[in-house]
Amino acid sequence: MKTCVIMPAYNESRAVEGLVKSILGQNLEIILIDDGSSDNTASLARNSGAIVLLNPQNIGKGASLNKGFDFALSREFDAVVTMDADGQHLPEEVTHFIALAEQSNAGILIGNRMNQLRTMPFIRIQTNKLMSWIISQLCKQKIPDSQCGFRLIRKEVLSKINLKTYKYEAESEILIQAARLGFTIKSIPVKTVYQGEKSNIHPVWDTIRFIRFIIKELWITRH
């Protein structure tokens, strides 16, 4: 299975160099989408061997993922693995996704951190549980950790979904669209490393945006 890693990044110079080198050491291509960083994230990634796509300004994680998906489809990859650039996702687990995908017919494999809660902040645990319940209802499939960005997505899914969102809610939209298209979504246990990283999620505007997105999707589901 020809697979690449897609990594959106915004001001992640602290961790990005080590992540890129670790992924390349597994004989995988990495496509980093720099989302208008003001630091040297892009140059560090490029010098470490990543393919770097640039957003001229910060436009959002969803928009960055979409750019990476289009690039991967143009290069005829069979699947992509998406992961964050802040070091929370362990690069050595990428091969676990690929190995399971080769034995599974799932359109999406999504990481499940909910069995590793010891280091996860309490507010994040509760938020993830609530959002995962809502997304599971919309997808009509059980997804224990719908907010995990560590995923494998097959090209069959990428070629059919049409994302309308461009911020953090895009990760939920991917799941909902895939489920409505008839794809199976399966979970895979993953570890997550929390080291006091500052989230780029805006607690007010991103929450409002997500609520609007969910209301719209609920309306679509009922009609």
Side-chain angles (χ1 to χ4, degrees), residues 185-209:
I185 301 166
K186 292 185 178 180
S187 297
I188 175 174
V190 296
K191 298 177 181 178
T192 303
V193 180
Y194 289 100
Q195 299 177 340
E197 299 88 351
K198 182 180 178 181
S199 174
N200 290 318
I201 298 176
H202 194 287
V204 176
W205 296 118
D206 282 316
T207 299
I208 291 172
R209 192 178 291 109

Side-chain angles (χ1 to χ4, degrees), residues 71-172:
F71 185 86
L73 286 172
S74 73
R75 296 284 293 270
E76 298 184 346
F77 283 98
D78 298 312
V80 304
V81 172
T82 64
M83 61 186 297
D84 294 342
D86 58 5
Q88 288 191 28
H89 301 152
L90 299 178
E92 56 265 31
E93 292 191 318
V94 170
T95 54
H96 298 171
F97 281 87
I98 297 172
L100 181 57
E102 290 174 341
Q103 304 170 21
S104 169
N105 63 352
I108 298 177
L109 297 175
I110 181 170
N112 178 13
R113 303 162 294 177
M114 303 308 284
N115 295 321
Q116 301 283 336
L117 300 180
R118 193 169 51 179
T119 60
M120 185 181 290
F122 177 77
I123 186 64
R124 186 167 294 188
I125 294 173
Q126 300 308 312
T127 300
N128 283 359
K129 285 182 177 180
L130 175 60
M131 290 184 173
S132 296
W133 182 82
I134 294 171
I135 299 302
S136 295
Q137 301 308 302
L138 288 168
C139 291
K140 299 180 181 178
Q141 301 183 49
K142 184 176 181 181
I143 306 173
D145 190 4
S146 68
Q147 302 309 296
C148 184
F150 204 0
R151 307 170 174 190
L152 182 144
I153 310 173
R154 293 184 183 273
K155 67 178 181 182
E156 291 82 1
V157 176
L158 297 178
S159 63
K160 291 183 178 180
I161 61 175
N162 181 24
L163 298 182
K164 301 292 195 301
T165 57
Y166 58 94
K167 295 289 188 178
Y168 288 97
E169 68 271 26
E171 292 181 308
S172 296

